[in-house]
Amino acid sequence: EAQVTQNPRYLITVTGKKLTVTCSQNMNHEYMSWYRQDPGLGLRQIYYSMNVEVTDKGDVPEGYKVSRKEKRNFPLILESPSPNQTSLYFCASSPGYEQYFGPGTRLTVT
Amino acid sequence: GQSLEQPSEVTAVEGAIVQINCTYQTSGFYGLSWYQQHDGGAPTFLSYNALDGLEETGRFSSFLSRSDSYGYLLLQELQMKDSASYFCAAGAGSYQLTFGKGTKLSVIP
């Protein structure tokens, strides 16, 4: 089944404790992206990647890192999470203009 | 950068037609996309307009006017399952994507 998977789905952590949210797609898409969704703000792009080893900042990159060492994987790294990073995170992949979203990761930073 | 405006809420009756508008301001524009998101779910792709005009996919249609920086999503024969949030999105480049804040559609009997 063609899909985008994210892990974990739910995470509660404390301020400053480094964490990684994994994202993997099995559709051989070149393009992948990370978004955060907050009430009343819609989806905001954090980082995107156009291919292996090619990444660029979206609208809200501060406090996040990404890497794209393999085509199928695009992990999101929070080196020192803060409470304002509490949010719902979506990974997406795309062959062009149509984005396929993962199920989401709900992150709470206390 | 990109800025997209859409109404925050719309209510419509089952079986009716509803139009959700989206206006955008952009320094670069490739096309306008629409996504649907049910509560607790992930966004799913509905349509994409790169050129002016109407694109139809079943009960859903999407329209774009580049000269007016305006587009809309038209939902016909509304069903209860259409109750969801709808987002327009525009790309500054081929992949840099900005979403509107979303329109919550409530379909009532």
Side-chain angles (χ1 to χ4, degrees):
Chain A
E1 179 189 355
Q3 60 182 349
V4 179
T5 57
Q6 295 178 225
N7 282 291
R9 295 289 313 280
Y10 303 90
L11 179 60
I12 301 174
T13 190
V14 296
T15 299
K17 185 176 181 182
K18 181 179 179 179
L19 66 93
T20 299
V21 183
T22 65
C23 173
S24 183
Q25 51 100 0
N26 62 1
M27 295 170 279
N28 203 36
H29 291 163
E30 292 187 345
Y31 171 80
M32 297 186 75
S33 184
W34 275 102
Y35 299 89
R36 61 178 289 175
Q37 185 172 32
D38 303 288
L41 296 179
L43 289 146
R44 293 180 292 168
Q45 191 175 51
I46 303 170
Y47 270 95
Y48 62 96
S49 169
M50 290 173 282
N51 213 327
V52 174
E53 303 292 1
V54 181
T55 63
D56 208 347
K57 296 177 180 178
D59 292 326
V60 289
E62 295 77 21
Y64 304 94
K65 285 177 59 176
V66 293
S67 69
R68 187 91 181 273
K69 292 182 169 49
E70 304 167 283
K71 197 172 188 178
R72 62 184 294 125
N73 296 324
F74 190 44
L76 179 70
I77 303 156
L78 285 74
E79 299 234 332
S80 184
S82 63
N84 64 14
Q85 293 178 298
T86 292
S87 188
L88 178 59
Y89 291 86
F90 287 103
C91 178
S93 72
S94 174
Y97 55 79
E98 179 177 350
Q99 305 246 340
Y100 294 80
F101 284 84
T105 295
R106 188 166 292 281
L107 172 66
T108 301
V109 184
T110 62
Chain B
Q2 303 270 19
S3 172
L4 296 97
E5 295 289 329
Q6 52 181 128
S8 58
E9 294 183 17
V10 172
T11 300
V13 177
E14 188 177 15
I17 299 172
V18 71
Q19 178 173 311
I20 299 173
N21 298 321
C22 176
T23 57
Y24 59 87
Q25 291 183 317
T26 174
S27 56
F29 180 79
Y30 279 71
L32 193 69
S33 304
W34 289 92
Y35 288 81
Q36 179 191 60
Q37 185 181 30
H38 287 99
D39 284 348
T44 57
F45 174 82
L46 291 177
S47 68
Y48 175 73
N49 295 68
L51 303 175
D52 284 2
L54 192 68
E55 294 281 342
E56 297 182 66
T57 309
R59 294 188 297 114
F60 292 4
S61 303
S62 58
F63 172 83
L64 176 65
S65 168
R66 285 174 168 263
S67 59
D68 295 323
S69 297
Y70 163 76
Y72 66 72
L73 179 69
L74 192 73
L75 296 80
Q76 303 182 74
E77 301 172 15
L78 279 172
Q79 302 176 9
M80 299 301 290
K81 67 178 181 180
D82 297 329
S83 292
S85 291
Y86 293 84
F87 297 89
C88 57
S94 297
Y95 304 106
Q96 202 172 359
L97 203 59
T98 299
F99 283 75
K101 293 181 180 178
T103 299
K104 186 176 177 65
L105 171 64
S106 299
V107 180
I108 58 176

